[in-house]
Every structure is written in structure tokens, then in C-alpha cells.
Amino acid sequence: MTPPGNDTQAGIRRRNLARVLQAVAAHGPLSRPAVAARIGLTRAGVAPLVDELLRAGLLVESGPAAPRGRGRPGSELVVSDRGPAGLGAEIGVDHLAVCAIDLRGRIRARAAVGAANRNSTPGPVLERLGELLAEVTGRIAAEGLRPAGLAVAVPGLVARGGTTVVHAPNLGWRAADLAPGLAPVTAPAGSPAVPLTVENEANLGALAELRPAGADGGRPGPPPDFVHVSAEAGIGAAVVVDGQLLRGARGFAGELGHVPVYPDGRRCDCGGRGCLEQYAGEAAVLRASGAAPGRAGPGARIALRARRAADGDPATVRALEEAGTALGIALAGAVNLLDPRAVVLGGALAGLAPWVLPSLERELTLRTAVAADPARAGGPLVTVSRLGADGPLLGAAHAALRGVLDDPLHSCAPADSPPVRTD
Amino acid sequence: MTPPGNDTQAGIRRRNLARVLQAVAAHGPLSRPAVAARIGLTRAGVAPLVDELLRAGLLVESGPAAPRGRGRPGSELVVSDRGPAGLGAEIGVDHLAVCAIDLRGRIRARAAVGAANRNSTPGPVLERLGELLAEVTGRIAAEGLRPAGLAVAVPGLVARGGTTVVHAPNLGWRAADLAPGLAPVTAPAGSPAVPLTVENEANLGALAELRPAGADGGRPGPPPDFVHVSAEAGIGAAVVVDGQLLRGARGFAGELGHVPVYPDGRRCDCGGRGCLEQYAGEAAVLRASGAAPGRAGPGARIALRARRAADGDPATVRALEEAGTALGIALAGAVNLLDPRAVVLGGALAGLAPWVLPSLERELTLRTAVAADPARAGGPLVTVSRLGADGPLLGAAHAALRGVLDDPLHSCAPADSPPVRTD
């Protein structure tokens, strides 16, 4: 019998290259012995792997470290700030955004525009997104970076593992394959193809929360069992269990916006009644607070609502409190079902937390007594994302680098050298 | 560096013994070459593993198979119907039950009694359960079977991996460690200790759905992504993702009974309002159908309600329809969040499916349009457990055999031979 593919020589080598690169990305600078200790290989086993990653330009030496203990001083390793870049893109209901990060997780370029995407067709939206992507890739090329992947965040359901938006109600898109429209970016003439990922924006927001804490200087992220809630026009959630996204049988998990909160309540566009989105979605909050939808991007609208709430505008404060109540009811269901370690408010909700949290936490405490009792200290911990509205875009950029981190040499041969075969 | 423990020689051997035993348990009778093909080892590699399992009495030869193709005829292997037995026990609100299964998954003995366990203390309940267990183990001993594990199903929250019932509201138990009270069974004088597992009954019901289809003649179980709902006095659910139970950060996942369905509705004992249990729990249905709680065991009460509904008793039919509506609302939330491949009605609900399902499915279809649309054919598939009210008890018995299947020689050396060291 053939052994399983991941136990072949080539498979083991690929996995070990990935482990070295991931260890340095998450915890660098690291000496070679420190890398060996972290991943459980011998120093002799690590040395050729490091050499290959140095030759490929994925790792660089940070200069000799200060001698410590016995043995010769060795230089320390860091991931390169040149070479592969992850391109993240976000298609919002009224904005488009693009950013590029390097292997260190630093944002190297970004661009965003307001855009009336609601009920537009995918064609012109992707064309405009392509222009932003071209602008960003042009800027990073000047700094020695090349796109190693593109991930696009969309406010809708995406077929698991595919590039097709199955349904994005707030864009009015159905069965829209984004691959053809993004071909100018993903299949550029004369350059290597750029792998494309399309993913629900709440899932990418959660992935951004999950990325290695070391990548941006050691700030700890939330624990690896959490429900991440984000909102723009709609409301989405991502469920993370043991550090892994729960995607659902078809990839459609996380539709928190259509969890029923008042079963005999307002009609929803989905055909249901009393869905969370009808009480805590953007349109509902704007309506309740008496604000006009306007054309400003979501950042501007959130800032406006936050300013009004901070000024004590009664209608705005009441609307956000009602949104918090509805969110608390829906999340009580999620907490009873999933027993997560934390609930993280991300996306646009992060900026509105001061006004949404009190009523949200009141409902959650009232309605999770059995699940919470008695071992949990003070009920489920609701936290606010440190990334705010940028989460999905950053998560997309990180997802775009995933291929390099999982298979460093295969995904990422420099364009000017022959591809390195690993199988 | 030491390689990870599961890559040591002893670890690999233990895993391979387990793979052989599991393959034969799920798919036997199997010839040695068929075992080798199933688990991806060579015939020469499988031979000594099979010999060890034969010596330990876990496998037996089913006699020479008919010659087929080239090569000498070989006998086929089946798991033994003697040797290790899994003891399953169930503590219900008004009954106690025990059963024993052999490695073939066949029930070899069972015993059950009605018992008024609500608001009793654990001591006398465990004493009575111990008597039932002694009766069952006595009967199986006469057939050459010995307990290899005991798993107890309880209607409450259990600390993950522990033996303590954190809270069982319908029993009135809090922080009750079941291990001391079951010591006469788990630490019998002069015999090997019997490992104890304590687990939520809904989780065990789901595990029963998951056991290998081959074990009872090839009937296929539900797909490995499902939400399993069961009800006795309370309502519990188990979430299975990719064939694994989702237990939650502390082991408290699956509290479907306290998902809010009518947020301003009836007060619940948990402190919340409008919990599912207040509309679809046994007490609620009995109240709504005008039936007296009575002292009959749950089987009898379910039969009574089913008979009344079948007779067209309007109050009973209406009560079950309302229970289905509430279940549908709560499950709509679960389906939107989790995107399972199926929803399985188990436990007492299985017997009431004809009256509960129509309203349940109506709500589910109405409220999962976004998650269901458009790839899912006809909405999420609601199925009825083939095990009915026996699910949790059978799941417990299977869970009790898990240790043998995962580590055949370590857990299961015959009492009359020296223990086989595997590490």
C-alpha cells in the first residue's frame, strides 16, 4: 500500500519548511537553535531547511546576535519584509478597500474608495476593485514585494472552498463567480498566477483575530474558542472552535443576522420574521435613530452615529440600545449552543460598543444562566475587537499569505528563478 | 528533541492495533489482506498485530473462508462476542437504565426501573443504579464478558473530561461527583478497575448515531455534520461537526433548551424568559395537553401522548404542534449559525415526530432561507433517529468501549493473564 500522501519524504519536507517559516513569522527574531526547540527538530535537521528559506528570500538574517551561554554566536532569523505579499480586498455595500501586507504582518499599502455597490452588478464593481488592486500592487512592487495571493471579503455566503458568491443579499448578488472579473489581477501577463480566495467577511474578521500574536509584537489575541460578530449593512458571525473556523456543511455557517429574535416581529428580506438583522442591522439602526442612509462610507456613518450617541442624542442612544438587546438575545442562543470562551464584537460593531454593550450583556447574562452556571466567572466574556472595522480586510490579507506559510517554496518561488519542485 | 509521543515505536504500534481492531469491528468479517488494504499497511505488517489481538481474545477467526482468486484460502476475522463489554447507564428524571454491549455492538443484557429521581440526592440514586449494574454485570459474566468501561448519561452539564455533574436542573443536582458513589462498580475488589465516563445524555445520543454503520449490519447513520436534539424532561442538543462532538470551551455546549424563542415569554427556572424548554419540554407539553405528570416512566408517557395524538385528542395535538413551532424557531437559529447537513430528532422526540415535525419544518423553512438558499435542495434535512429513546443509553455503552477500541491491549488485558505492556 502507498503510505498516505502527507507521510512521503516530500510531504514531510514541505511540512517542516512550513513549520520553520511559521515559527519565525510568529515568534521571530529567533536563533536557529530556538527554531529547532520550538518545532521539535534537531539543529542539524533545521539547518538545511533554514538555508532553503534564506535562498528563497523568505527568511533573512537579522545580524549576529549577542553571544550568550556557550557555543558560537549565531545570527537571528526574521521573515523577510520583501518577497511575498498578501493582497486583501473588501467589497462592502458602499465601499471598496484593498491592502497589502508582508510576511511580518505589516500593512505596506492600502487604498479605499466609497462605492455604491448595492444592487450593482459584479462586473463594474470588480473592475473598480481591479483598479485599486493595480494601484496597491504597483506601490508594493517598488518596495520589492510581489503578490503571493489575493483574498476577497464579501458580505454574503460563499461556496466552501470556491470563488463563487452564492448569495450576498445586501449587494443583490447571486451565484456570482468573482474569478473571471479578477483575472487581470490573478493571471497577469508574464507573471506567476496569484491564487484567489473568496470568503465571507465575518469569517475573515475572525481569522484576523486568530493570527499569531507575535506577528505584530506579541499582543495576545482572544482565546481560540469564540464567536466573532461583525456588522456592516448585514450582520455576520464566525464561529471559531479550537482555533479553527467552523464553516458548516456547505460553508454557510455564521448567519447570525437571520437568527430569529422576535419570532412574530418585523418581516425580513430573507422571507423570515423577526431576524436579528431587522433590529441590529445598519438600516434598522439608522431608521430607528432617524438618520438618513446617506452616501458616506461605513466608517463615516459609524463615526457619525458614535458622535451622536456620545452627544447623547436620545433617538440614536435608544436605537443602539435596542440593537444591543436584539444582539444579546441572538447571542444568548449562540452561547447556549456553543459554549464559547468569548464573544468578540468586531467590524463596525467595535466602534459602537460603548452604546451597544450594556443592553447586550444584560440579555446575555439573563439568558445564559444554565450554560454559565456555576463554573464560569461572571458569564461569557464579551470583548471588543482590537482591529475594529479593519478586521475583515486584514483577515483577507492574512488569508492571502496562507499559501506561502503552508507551502513556502511551492507557492512562492521568486519570479526570476526556476520554480523549486517539492514533489 | 524528543519526537512527539504519538510517533514513538510504542505509540505507532498502539495506534496500529487500534486501527486493526476498529476496522474489523466496523467492517468484519474481514480477511487479513482485507484488513491490510483497509488500513493501508502491508500484509506482513498486519499479521503480528492480528496475532496479538487474537491472543488477547479481542479478535476471533470465523472459520476458513471459501477460496477465491489465487492464493491459499484464509479464515476471516471478527471481533469477539466474549471479552470486553461496554456498560452504559442512564440516569433519567424518572427512570434508571443499564445495558451492556459486546464489541460487535450487540446488546447482551439490559435492565431498567422507574425511579423518582427529581430532587433526590445523588447517593440513593447511585446506590440503586449500582444494583442494576451488578445485575447486568452478573448476567454478562455468565457469558464470558467482563466490563471494560462504564459510561453514565445524565440530563445536565458535565465538566469536560470529568465525572462531575456541574448542574442537572431537572434532577436538582449541582457539583455532584458521581465517581465515589459508583466505586463499587468501577473499583471492584479483586478485579481490574473499570474506567468511568460521565457525559450529557444528548451528547451520548449523538455518539450512538455516529457509531460505525457496519457494527449493526450496515445501516447507514446520519451524515457527520448534524445537530442531534433529544428531550426527556429537558431538551438537549449535541452538535457534531465533521464527525466530532462540539463540546464547548467548558463542555457545556448544546443547551438548546435555553435558547430564547419568545424573548418576552414564560419565565424559565434558569432565570431567563421564553426558553425553548418552556414550550417544548415535557412539563410544558403535558401542561398544554391537559395531562397529569403521573409516575409512569418516560416511555409510558410518550406512548400515552403518542396514542392520544393518534386518537386525535385536540389538546394533545395542539400542544405537540406548539412544541414543534418552538423547536423550529430554536433550530432555525442553530441552522443559521452552524449550517449542519442534518437535524436529527432523537430521544423521546423520535416517538412524537409525526405530530411535532410539520410545524417544526414549517418554521425551519421559513427562517433559514438565506442559509438554505439556493444550493440546499428543500431546506435542511430533518431526520428522525433510528434509535429513538434508547439513543443515550446505547451511546453510553458505546462510549464505554471506546477505551478498548483506542488502545486494545492496554485497556483490556484479560484478568487472568499478565498485563501486556505497550509503552
Side-chain angles (χ1 to χ4, degrees), chain A residues 174 249-250 254 339 373 376, chain B residues 174 249-250 337 339 373 376:
Chain A
R174 276 180 192 276
R250 295 156 309 148
D339 184 28
D373 171 282
R376 197 198 302 254
Chain B
R174 277 179 191 277
R250 294 156 311 148
L337 268 176
D339 184 28
D373 172 281
R376 197 197 303 253

Side-chain angles (χ1 to χ4, degrees), chain B residues 323-375:
Chain B
T325 300
L327 275 163
I329 294 169
L331 286 169
V335 168
N336 275 299
L337 268 176
L338 300 170
D339 184 28
R341 203 171 297 282
V343 171
V344 182
L345 300 187
L349 281 176
L352 299 170
W355 301 280
V356 166
L357 262 182
S359 53
L360 188 164
E361 288 191 312
R362 192 165 54 236
E363 294 296 325
L364 210 44
T365 304
L366 174 73
R367 298 177 188 282
T368 57
V370 168
D373 172 281

Side-chain angles (χ1 to χ4, degrees), chain B residues 111-139:
Chain B
V113 290
N117 296 332
R118 193 186 292 273
N119 298 325
S120 70
T121 56
V125 174
L126 296 178
E127 199 172 313
R128 188 76 192 90
L129 189 66
E131 291 165 16
L132 287 187
L133 283 161
E135 180 190 331
V136 163
T137 51
R139 276 156 56 195

